Amino acid sequence: MNTSFLLFALLNPIFALLAAPLYMALIRKVKAYAQGRKGPRLFQVYYDLRKLLHKEVVYSSTSSWIMRFTPYLNLSALLIASLFVPLLFVPEPVGGFGHIIVFLYLLALERFFTALGGLDAGSAFGGMGSSRSMSLAAVIEPSMVVAFAALAFVLKSLNMHEMFALTASEVLPLSPTLVLVSISLFIILIVETGRLPVDNPATHLELTMINEAMILEQAGKNLALLELAHALKQLLLMGVLINTIFPIGLSTELDSGKIAVSAVLFLLKAGLLAVVIGLFESSLAKMRLFRLPAFYVMAFFFSALTILIEVFA
Amino acid sequence: MYLLEAFVYGAVLALLSGTFLPLLYRNKNARKASFGLSLISSILLLVFAGTILYTGKEPAFPAFGFLPGLNFTLATDRLSAGFILLIAAVVPGVSIYSVEYIEHAKSEARKDLQTALTNLFILAMLLVVLAGNMVGFLFFWEIMSLSSLLLVLHNYSSEENKKAGFFYFVMTSLSTAFLFLGFISLFRLTGSAEFGQLEYPANTLTLPFLCLFIGFGIKAGIVPFHKWLPYAHPAAPSSISALMSGVMLKVAIYGFLRFLLSVSTPELWWGVLILIGGSLSALLGVIYALKESDIKRLLAYSSIENIGIILIGIGLYVIFKVEGLEALALLSLVGACFHAFNHALFKSLLFLCAGSIVHATGTRNIEAFGGLVKSMPSTSALFMIGSVSIAALPPTNGFAGELLLYQAFLQSSALTEPLLTVLLIIALSSFALTGALAAALFVKLFGITCLAIPRSEQSKLAEEVKKPMLLGPAMPAALCILTGLFSKQLLSLAGWNFEFPDLLLLGLLFGIIYAALFLIMRSKNPARISETWGCGIPSLTPSMEYSSAGFSEPLVMIFKGIYRTRIVHKPEYLDMQESLFKNGRVEIRLLRFFEEYLYTPPAQAIDNFSKLVSKLQNGKLDSYVLYAFIAVIILILATGGLV
Amino acid sequence: MIDPFLLEGLIKILFVFVLISAALIISTRNLSSVLTTYTIQSFLLALVSFLLYLMDEKGQLLLLAGLTLASKVILIPYFISRIEEKIKIGRDLHFTYLEPTTSLLLSIGLILLSYVFLSRIFEDLSLSKLFFFGAVIGVSLTLMGMLVVFSRRKVITKVLGYLSMENGVLMFGLFVTEIPFIIEVLIIIDLVILVMLTTILAVGMDSSIEEYRQKFRKLQIWTGGRYL
């Protein structure tokens, strides 16, 4: 355990937690502008979270300890996952923090318990959300693993810290495969955070609900924790994408000046990515539920092609 | 060292006495004592196996004369020690559980018999793993099969169980037949019945490899030989299902590994075949499990999936060994064995909890469960630990095992042959798919069984089971979590220092963050309890919540090409233009692919052939004298050299 | 003058996009999307040809790029969009024999198949890995085009699949042999004539061959329900 990692363990999660809600609101604002509206304030999600923290928690009489523990579990899992993605600087990797498979399975842990929470209250909405979410997550899993495997092949390491230390000083991606992997990562980002065309995060209608249905029964501070966890997941996946395609500015040393520059650059890059996501969402309609596997297989085709190119050419 | 062998003798003695005790003294105390003896034996075996694994000592056993010319030897090396450790980890939980569970059998005689047979089963499996030559192996293999067969048939009055038992009997005899073939061909090649190094070029070993692969594959439940598993496991009592799924399937894997590890130069196509067989078993196992609504059948299919994963690891081992990547080969092999160990733990845990649930509600149908987290809290908690482990979520042991395999896959860029890399990537994608489908499966199983409102009267009236049936599963549950957290430490104690994430650190951090969040977020006001939102309808009934079939519906739709539900529509009309409907018949049939196309045709053919042959034995004295006459004529012709 | 590594990287990216466009032609349901995808595919091919010219400095490649641009990106799509305006069907919903998901997975198999096939045949030829992969993609594109022809119903999609096949041949030629320029020109003239004929026939013909036959059948229904 060295000081670099300890500092990282302190700074990175806090930075991620603080920055995450900003980008949720930014994407909403971009979508609103695309629709001709003004949209919410940039800090709206922070105010929403504060409001939720003060509200009363209501539990259903049919729910069990799962509903009570899931929000804390999810946020803990994602806080640990935030130790895997370097946002401010790249530390010396310690004890497996940064391993891509552990990262993916921490996200899977969060999904598992959210799905159980959806079934807990015994409502039809919750069951539907859980069922759809777990089914679709299963179909996207091969693409995710193959995309991360392509990253591992190109950057020759299984640890994200080592990978991004390699690319940290480049302006453009190291190899064309990384450009293709970035496209896969973008699709995975859209899928994992439940954005159009996979799911509409703005509505609570049965037709467009996958993610929202599972947390329908949560209230008060539990809901705040779950929303924060969701925003954190989005930020971490955005972080992986940014580090792959546009890594300039990520500092590899413990210099405070460089870290500050890194932070500002990351905020700007994430903002740009958020605008791109917002525009992408605004240009598409939600796909029919059973057309989604075809879309996911296309994503898998893309990831597989990326690896094939890497192996063959 | 003498001391080491003494442990084994002690364990064998304990199990033997455990077998005979309930048959001699037919009362409850004898049964309890017999399970206590199996518990003692497992502790002895734990010490024995642990010592060998972590110190590498090799004990020596004398040969036991059996028949003139045939004797069997016992031998242990690190491979068998690992699998003895597996047995020793599962048996305590099962024994303690059975103390109470066996009392639910129908008659006193059955209780005594089942207790005796359980001990015999454990003893046979132990001796198979300890066997040092082919004779002993086959002898104890047969005892293992027969004792488990008798246990599967415990409830022989039901038709379904009779069919299950018969199916199991046929498949296990087939397996033994192939094993005999394989061993005899090996014997002819080497001239000795001992298990030793096989320094032969791989093309001479093709026949033994195929026979042993099929023989062990039938017993382990590889697709397409897996069909007996979903019938036998639900029919057996739950503690026996736990032993069968947890240990017996792994003993088959042990046998296969014993052969593979002794071959010094395997061939590439062996590894490819094992890898493809494993991927197919894993994928098909979990896909068929998704459609099941019988809890034990679902767990049986899930076992098939996990055996597939173990085979993937073994296939990777062979491929890497052939390509010369020794470190990766070792990683894959350790991953496969570690996953076998973990699967034994969490599958036995799941089956024991399933047994408690089935006993408390009286049915195996998942659609009748629900709300058990309120009426059976401890069992539900243990069930949850099992579900989280089998879904391979950090920091449990299921995750640690799969992580080793993922690591082997992801480092395969060291392979030089591009087509092999492509095969591995396809295998990796299907491996990832099965992992995610298994998670979905266990969300369904745990969610529908334990959460929400009870879906039937029986579920409403369920009560928590007695202490032994809670203590039993608690042991594998604790081991699951501990093995996961301390995975890196345990592996390095055994001498394997891989570059492996330290799950202990992760787990500790998890606990700390969780506790911190909990303390920060604690509020003074208690939460309010209210009704679930039902769109304005005042109270929710069980028919409004999600059912098991409904939960799997999206996945069934996505994979409908594999399920091949056939809708047969036979309408009858009154007129030629087909406009006036008379009556009709609609059938929705699930295609039982393996049964209808793979198993039944040969079975039918054998049946027809035996009908033909049975005509020869018609009971008339005249025809028998005719046969003797024909035989004498043929003998005369043959010895006279006229033919 | 330009860094060859950069060129190779760009060509690799273009390869993947060409394959994606072929996969999209197999699976898209919207007819105008299929046309747009074909246009993009031809444009990417022209781009590949141009990049190869930058690498090898052969004048023919530049000419080929220009010709492909003119004929396959501008002329042929113009004709086909005229047809689509005329017959006004928006979608091609039905798939025969293969669902889009299965055909995508099959395409991966086809790419692997062409790789194995070509590596057997081209053992003695010394090609750089990139060029070899270009040839593999050419063959795969042809096979995927054939997939489109048999698995889709509407004639327009079948024609576009055939055109895609020709793109595959062009790709193969770019990387493996020196196809004499005249043959390329002849192929392109062939295609233009094909599309012009289709346009002419489209005035009198309905959207798919099946419906054409249905029309004939309908004329005979009064003979008591005997189908042809």
Side-chain angles (χ1 to χ4, degrees):
Chain A
M1 198 66 90
N2 44 24
T3 52
S4 154
F5 192 76
L6 275 172
L7 202 63
F8 176 76
L10 225 61
L11 284 178
N12 216 41
I14 295 181
F15 177 70
L17 260 181
L18 289 175
L22 176 63
Y23 295 103
M24 296 287 276
L26 182 57
I27 298 182
R28 275 196 234 162
K29 207 165 174 64
V30 170
K31 289 206 300 197
Y33 270 125
Q35 293 167 12
R37 303 183 278 126
K38 255 176 75 173
R41 293 174 285 187
L42 271 182
F43 290 107
Q44 182 60 45
V45 182
Y46 294 102
Y47 299 141
D48 283 342
L49 286 174
R50 196 181 67 180
K51 172 186 79 172
L52 280 173
L53 283 173
H54 289 306
K55 292 193 87 166
E56 178 190 33
V57 179
V58 183
Y59 289 118
S60 156
S61 47
T62 52
S63 67
S64 65
W65 53 269
I66 298 236
M67 279 267 267
R68 288 152 171 86
F69 286 174
T70 300
Y72 300 104
L73 217 115
N74 282 4
L75 193 58
S76 317
L78 278 166
L79 279 174
I80 296 187
S82 68
L83 289 175
F84 283 55
V85 182
L87 300 174
L88 292 174
F89 67 96
V90 185
E92 309 266 328
V94 158
F97 284 100
H99 200 277
I100 45 182
I101 299 293
V102 183
F103 179 67
L104 285 177
Y105 272 79
L106 278 171
L107 298 182
L109 177 70
E110 185 244 340
R111 195 169 42 226
F112 187 84
F113 277 99
T114 317
L116 278 181
L119 279 171
D120 200 13
S123 69
F125 281 130
M128 184 183 74
S130 306
S131 151
R132 290 179 177 180
S133 167
M134 294 304 288
S135 316
L136 291 174
V139 185
I140 195 69
E141 187 84 8
S143 319
M144 282 211 289
V145 172
V146 169
F148 276 92
L151 257 185
F153 271 34
V154 173
L155 295 172
K156 309 255 180 294
S157 159
L158 286 178
N159 190 314
M160 282 205 268
H161 295 309
E162 282 173 25
M163 279 192 223
F164 294 136
L166 211 61
T167 65
S169 40
E170 312 283 329
V171 178
L172 287 179
L174 264 185
S175 104
T177 324
L178 284 181
V179 175
L180 299 167
V181 171
S182 316
I183 301 184
S184 291
L185 284 175
F186 184 74
I187 299 180
I188 290 173
L189 172 63
I190 299 283
V191 168
E192 280 283 311
T193 51
R195 304 213 149 267
L196 287 161
V198 171
D199 182 19
N200 194 342
T203 71
H204 290 264
L205 297 172
E206 186 195 320
L207 291 174
T208 61
M209 269 207 290
I210 300 178
N211 241 308
E212 293 294 315
M214 294 191 284
I215 56 177
L216 204 60
E217 290 292 326
Q218 303 279 0
K221 59 177 160 66
N222 288 354
L223 187 58
L225 289 178
L226 280 174
E227 295 276 345
L228 193 56
H230 188 76
L232 190 56
K233 179 161 78 166
Q234 179 177 286
L235 188 73
L236 289 177
L237 287 172
M238 282 166 72
V240 175
L241 180 54
I242 290 174
N243 284 342
T244 310
I245 195 170
F246 202 26
I248 189 169
L250 190 62
S251 130
T252 39
E253 302 153 7
L254 268 184
D255 181 43
S256 60
K258 288 207 179 142
I259 293 181
V261 167
S262 225
V264 169
L265 269 177
F266 177 78
L267 289 174
L268 287 173
K269 285 189 271 185
L272 190 62
L273 183 57
V275 170
V276 169
I277 294 178
L279 290 174
F280 181 75
E281 273 199 271
S282 310
S283 62
L284 292 170
K286 181 175 171 338
M287 293 176 75
R288 263 182 62 190
L289 184 69
F290 288 114
R291 295 255 195 272
L292 280 175
F295 175 59
Y296 289 6
V297 172
M298 188 58 114
F300 175 67
F301 187 73
F302 200 86
S303 314
L305 273 184
T306 315
I307 274 211
L308 282 183
I309 270 240
E310 189 58 30
V311 169
F312 285 149
Chain B
M1 288 217 335
Y2 246 2
L3 196 55
L4 219 50
E5 288 90 358
F7 280 114
V8 172
Y9 295 140
V12 170
L13 204 61
L15 284 170
L16 258 179
S17 19
T19 312
F20 289 114
L21 204 59
L23 295 173
L24 297 172
Y25 300 96
R26 293 174 171 253
N27 55 23
K28 186 163 171 188
N29 289 326
R31 295 195 282 268
K32 266 204 200 157
S34 126
F35 283 123
L37 281 169
S38 59
L39 183 64
I40 293 176
S41 73
S42 65
I43 298 178
L44 292 172
L45 286 174
L46 193 68
V47 177
F48 173 72
T51 325
I52 296 190
L53 210 54
Y54 294 125
T55 59
K57 292 201 183 80
E58 298 229 354
F61 296 98
F64 296 95
F66 176 46
L67 284 179
L70 283 177
N71 50 358
F72 46 85
T73 53
L74 301 175
T76 321
D77 62 352
R78 290 186 83 193
L79 181 68
S80 5
F83 281 86
I84 295 180
L85 195 66
L86 196 156
I87 300 180
V90 174
V91 167
V94 173
S95 308
I96 299 182
Y97 182 82
S98 307
V99 167
E100 174 63 34
Y101 185 71
I102 211 88
E103 302 297 326
H104 302 305
K106 293 220 173 91
S107 73
E108 284 297 313
R110 281 197 209 187
K111 292 183 201 174
D112 299 318
L113 203 57
Q114 275 179 42
T115 319
L117 281 172
T118 312
N119 280 41
L120 184 62
F121 186 37
I122 301 173
L123 180 64
M125 288 195 285
L126 173 66
L127 286 172
V128 168
V129 177
L130 278 174
N133 69 353
M134 301 178 192
V135 177
F137 191 91
L138 285 170
F139 181 68
F140 294 119
W141 182 268
E142 272 305 285
I143 297 187
M144 177 179 86
S145 312
L146 285 175
S147 49
S148 55
L149 174 68
L150 290 173
L151 283 165
V152 166
L153 280 175
H154 77 111
N155 189 11
Y156 51 80
S157 41
S158 112
E159 267 308 314
E160 186 194 337
N161 284 7
K162 271 196 270 199
K163 175 179 177 190
F166 186 67
F167 206 158
Y168 180 47
F169 179 55
V170 171
M171 295 306 277
T172 205
S173 311
L174 258 179
S175 144
T176 314
F178 274 105
L179 285 185
F180 261 105
L181 257 177
F183 280 140
I184 290 178
S185 55
L186 265 182
F187 181 76
R188 291 190 56 182
L189 202 59
T190 63
S192 127
E194 298 292 319
F195 288 142
Q197 275 298 106
L198 293 168
E199 299 280 344
Y200 297 90
N203 45 9
T204 51
L205 290 170
T206 310
L207 184 65
F209 169 71
L210 281 174
C211 290
L212 289 177
F213 183 56
I214 297 179
F216 285 120
I218 296 179
K219 204 53 185 257
I222 304 175
V223 163
F225 312 118
H226 64 285
K227 235 1 181 121
W228 61 271
L229 255 167
Y231 286 109
H233 281 63
S238 306
S239 46
I240 303 304
S241 305
L243 276 178
M244 281 169 73
S245 240
V247 188
M248 190 176 76
L249 301 184
K250 312 303 182 307
V251 169
I253 297 285
Y254 162 76
F256 190 52
L257 271 178
R258 168 68 59 219
F259 167 70
L260 268 185
L261 260 71
S262 57
V263 175
S264 48
T265 48
E267 280 212 37
L268 192 62
W269 67 266
W270 291 12
V272 172
L273 180 68
I274 300 174
L275 186 64
I276 295 181
S279 304
L280 213 63
S281 306
L283 207 54
L284 283 178
V286 72
I287 288 181
Y288 284 128
L290 280 165
K291 215 167 201 293
E292 284 293 331
S293 57
D294 176 335
I295 189 172
K296 288 169 81 169
R297 192 160 289 164
L298 193 150
L299 290 175
Y301 273 116
S302 164
S303 290
I304 297 177
E305 176 220 341
N306 280 286
I307 291 286
I309 295 180
I310 298 174
L311 275 184
I312 290 178
I314 298 181
L316 280 179
Y317 160 73
V318 177
I319 292 180
F320 286 137
K321 184 161 177 177
V322 169
E323 294 286 317
L325 297 163
E326 290 291 334
L328 281 180
L330 185 64
L331 181 64
S332 326
L333 186 63
V334 170
C337 294
F338 193 46
H339 189 85
F341 182 73
N342 296 335
H343 179 240
L345 281 177
F346 50 68
K347 201 32 89 58
S348 55
L349 167 63
L350 283 169
F351 263 113
L352 294 179
C353 290
S356 311
I357 294 177
V358 169
H359 168 69
T361 53
T363 167
R364 290 198 320 240
N365 189 3
I366 301 181
E367 307 276 9
F369 294 158
L372 293 174
V373 73
K374 298 264 171 60
S375 40
M376 301 173 70
S378 321
T379 311
S380 305
L382 292 169
F383 201 51
M384 154 121 280
I385 296 179
S387 308
V388 172
S389 305
I390 201 171
L393 300 175
T396 58
N397 59 353
F399 175 64
E402 295 210 355
L403 189 58
L404 281 173
L405 288 176
Y406 268 116
Q407 197 124 346
F409 266 119
L410 290 172
Q411 289 174 323
S412 64
S413 52
L415 280 176
T416 49
E417 171 74 41
L419 276 179
L420 215 52
T421 317
V422 171
L423 174 71
L424 253 63
I425 291 179
I426 296 178
L428 173 67
S429 330
S430 93
F431 182 55
L433 184 61
T434 58
L437 283 175
L441 178 69
F442 279 91
V443 167
K444 166 179 120 151
L445 185 62
F446 182 71
I448 306 282
T449 309
C450 295
L451 299 177
I453 318 174
R455 290 179 179 76
S456 69
E457 272 308 306
Q458 303 139 306
S459 189
K460 252 191 253 191
L461 301 171
E463 274 179 3
E464 187 61 90
V465 286
K466 301 223 180 63
K467 274 270 174 18
M469 279 168 82
L470 283 179
L471 199 56
M475 297 180 69
L479 277 175
C480 277
I481 300 185
L482 289 174
T483 319
L485 281 178
F486 291 100
S487 46
K488 182 162 183 161
Q489 285 76 7
L490 284 173
L491 286 176
S492 52
L493 259 184
W496 297 305
N497 285 312
F498 302 121
E499 273 211 36
F500 188 64
D502 193 356
L503 288 176
L504 183 62
L505 212 57
L506 201 82
L508 278 176
L509 203 59
F510 208 94
I512 294 175
I513 295 184
Y514 189 94
L517 274 177
F518 206 67
L519 288 172
I520 296 175
M521 291 288 151
R522 220 166 28 162
S523 71
K524 309 278 186 323
N525 318 321
R528 180 159 60 100
I529 306 285
S530 160
E531 287 269 335
T532 309
W533 169 245
C535 277
I537 302 175
S539 63
L540 283 185
T541 65
S543 58
M544 295 181 194
E545 53 179 351
Y546 241 57
S547 67
S548 156
F551 194 92
S552 340
E553 179 63 15
L555 279 169
V556 168
M557 283 283 300
I558 295 174
F559 289 108
K560 64 178 182 272
I562 301 186
Y563 292 110
R564 296 203 172 275
T565 317
R566 228 183 316 167
I567 300 183
V568 177
H569 181 213
K570 292 198 228 30
E572 282 176 20
Y573 297 98
L574 287 170
D575 64 332
M576 265 241 319
Q577 275 79 19
E578 299 193 343
S579 54
L580 300 171
F581 181 74
K582 190 160 87 173
N583 56 25
R585 188 182 153 77
V586 179
E587 251 178 40
I588 303 181
R589 292 181 53 217
L590 183 63
L591 179 71
R592 294 168 169 267
F593 176 75
F594 292 102
E595 268 185 58
E596 287 178 18
Y597 291 103
L598 220 60
Y599 289 33
T600 321
Q604 278 291 76
I606 294 177
D607 211 27
N608 294 341
F609 182 67
S610 30
K611 282 206 181 81
L612 272 176
V613 174
S614 71
K615 288 210 187 105
L616 287 173
Q617 297 183 319
N618 47 16
K620 287 195 233 163
L621 187 60
D622 302 337
S623 34
Y624 295 148
V625 178
L626 176 64
Y627 298 153
F629 179 67
I630 295 178
V632 171
I633 300 284
I634 293 180
L635 265 176
I636 293 177
L637 289 174
T639 42
L642 293 169
V643 173
Chain C
M1 29 169 196
I2 306 186
D3 179 26
F5 262 147
L6 186 65
L7 279 178
E8 276 201 21
L10 279 173
I11 293 185
K12 275 194 205 172
I13 298 183
L14 286 177
F15 279 168
V16 173
F17 281 121
V18 166
L19 280 173
I20 292 290
S21 62
L24 279 174
I25 294 184
I26 295 180
S27 56
T28 315
R29 287 170 158 78
N30 187 346
L31 270 186
S32 59
S33 294
V34 181
L35 181 61
T36 326
T37 317
Y38 171 72
T39 319
I40 294 178
Q41 191 181 73
S42 314
F43 178 69
L44 288 172
L45 269 173
L47 214 60
V48 169
S49 185
F50 179 67
L51 286 175
L52 279 178
Y53 162 71
L54 286 177
M55 239 160 77
D56 285 344
E57 308 278 338
K58 287 209 192 95
Q60 269 188 359
L61 289 167
L62 188 60
L63 216 52
L64 196 59
L67 198 62
T68 313
L69 204 69
S71 60
K72 290 187 183 170
V73 178
I74 299 179
L75 205 62
I76 293 185
Y78 170 68
F79 278 125
I80 298 193
S81 61
R82 281 272 300 274
I83 303 176
E84 287 188 354
E85 269 175 41
K86 201 92 193 188
I87 52 180
K88 287 198 210 320
I89 26 166
R91 306 178 293 173
D92 179 4
L93 290 172
H94 298 284
F95 296 89
T96 353
Y97 299 127
L98 282 179
E99 290 288 318
T101 317
T102 328
S103 34
L104 282 182
L105 294 173
L106 194 62
S107 318
I108 300 186
L110 287 176
I111 299 175
L112 292 174
L113 186 70
S114 2
Y115 178 80
V116 174
F117 172 63
L118 283 180
S119 57
R120 293 283 164 81
I121 294 191
F122 286 158
E123 280 216 41
D124 39 350
L125 230 66
S126 56
L127 282 172
S128 78
K129 277 186 109 177
L130 188 73
F131 277 50
F132 181 64
F133 197 59
V136 170
I137 292 192
V139 179
S140 324
L141 213 59
T142 315
L143 289 172
M144 281 160 85
M146 227 186 289
L147 212 104
V148 175
V149 174
F150 77 72
S151 71
R152 306 290 229 113
R153 266 217 215 154
K154 306 271 194 253
V155 174
I156 300 266
T157 331
K158 290 187 203 271
V159 167
L160 282 168
Y162 178 70
L163 291 171
S164 179
M165 278 173 76
E166 288 303 324
N167 271 352
V169 173
L170 171 63
M171 187 118 192
F172 184 76
L174 274 178
F175 284 99
V176 175
T177 69
E178 295 238 1
I179 292 191
F181 191 60
I182 186 76
I183 295 194
E184 272 305 322
V185 178
L186 285 176
I187 292 180
I188 289 181
I189 294 181
D190 239 343
L191 292 180
V192 176
I193 294 183
L194 165 75
V195 176
M196 273 173 56
L197 275 177
T198 317
T199 320
I200 296 171
L201 286 174
V203 177
M205 193 166 84
D206 218 310
S207 54
S208 72
I209 299 189
E210 289 303 311
E211 288 176 42
Y212 200 39
R213 275 212 334 206
Q214 297 279 11
K215 274 199 177 149
F216 281 122
R217 280 193 203 153
K218 272 198 220 153
L219 293 172
Q220 296 182 335
I221 198 152
W222 57 271
T223 61
R226 296 228 134 251
Y227 295 128
L228 268 177

